[in-house]
Amino acid sequence: MSVLPLVFTSGWASGINAYAVVLLLGVFGATGLTDEVPEALQRTDVLIAAGVLFLCEAVADKIPYVDNVWDALHTVIRPVAGAVVAALLAGESGSLPELAAGAVGGTTALMSHLVKAGTRMAVNTSPEPFSNIALSTGEDLAVAGVITFAIFHPVAAAVIAAVLLALGVWLLVVLASRIRRFLRRRAQRREERRLAAAGGGPPADRSVGGGR
């Protein structure tokens, strides 16, 4: 069977948590649960690095606004990781050209990353932190569950990943107004910091209702 379903699923999961994907696939390969995982992902140094970075993401991803900075930093990292993992999987299987697999994995990872980052912007318009924790935990569980399922049922897992990706895109459309609100707030804070650094500070009449 072609490795394409696993490539697609790993790309979707990499856009959400690339370190969890590398860690899970590496562990599954090292323990002999599957022969589809290349040796490069089973190396001890790769597993240790992925584990440490996964723990860092597990913390940063649950803190409001810190998760936005983390997502911004990973706008390149997650798609690249998705492409690399996909190419390695294709090279191990030999049923799909590595360049094509990398394109599929990287594109899918970028799409799911944008869904994740946009959803977090919308969630961060709410002042309470519990929604971030719940959403982050749900994402981690979804990645772990779908990747594990993909090892044994790759086609079914790819269908699930496609459905989740489509639902995520639909959710972004629904939350568009909240995302725009978040971006306006961020732009306003940047402008206030710029004015403060320039010595001007925020206009006083706005804070006391002046000019009305």
Side-chain angles (χ1 to χ4, degrees):
M1 182 179 295
S2 172
V3 75
L4 182 59
L6 184 57
V7 163
F8 180 86
T9 304
S10 66
W12 168 81
S14 294
I16 299 174
N17 193 327
Y19 307 123
V21 174
V22 173
L23 182 61
L24 285 170
L25 290 178
V27 169
F28 291 152
T31 54
L33 288 178
T34 177
D35 297 328
E36 296 288 342
V37 179
E39 292 290 337
L41 297 179
Q42 302 179 38
R43 290 170 39 184
T44 303
D45 57 337
V46 172
L47 292 176
I48 292 175
V52 171
L53 290 170
F54 170 75
L55 292 177
C56 292
E57 174 145 341
V59 175
D61 207 38
K62 294 175 177 60
I63 304 175
Y65 296 103
V66 173
D67 58 348
N68 298 128
V69 175
W70 187 267
D71 285 338
L73 294 174
H74 284 73
T75 301
V76 174
I77 296 175
R78 287 170 183 160
V80 169
V84 171
V85 170
L88 289 173
L89 290 171
E92 182 74 10
S93 172
S95 60
L96 182 68
E98 295 180 25
L99 185 60
V104 172
T107 301
T108 308
L110 177 60
M111 292 178 63
S112 62
H113 164 76
L114 293 177
V115 168
K116 171 178 176 146
T119 304
R120 288 310 179 85
M121 289 181 186
V123 168
N124 280 337
T125 60
S126 174
E128 45 78 26
F130 304 107
S131 53
N132 296 75
I133 297 174
L135 185 59
S136 176
T137 303
E139 289 170 349
D140 292 341
L141 292 175
V143 167
V146 173
I147 287 294
T148 302
F149 189 58
I151 295 299
F152 304 100
H153 305 283
V155 175
V159 172
I160 294 173
V163 171
L164 291 175
L165 182 59
L167 288 175
V169 173
W170 171 80
L171 184 61
L172 280 188
V173 175
V174 174
L175 297 176
S177 61
R178 283 198 171 194
I179 295 173
R180 287 194 295 268
R181 190 187 315 161
F182 173 86
L183 293 175
R184 285 196 300 268
R185 287 180 180 177
R186 187 169 65 176
Q188 182 180 1
R189 287 196 297 269
R190 287 178 176 175
E191 180 65 15
E192 290 174 352
R193 287 196 295 267
R194 186 187 68 80
L195 292 174
D205 60 332
R206 292 183 183 179
S207 62
V208 297
R212 294 184 179 179

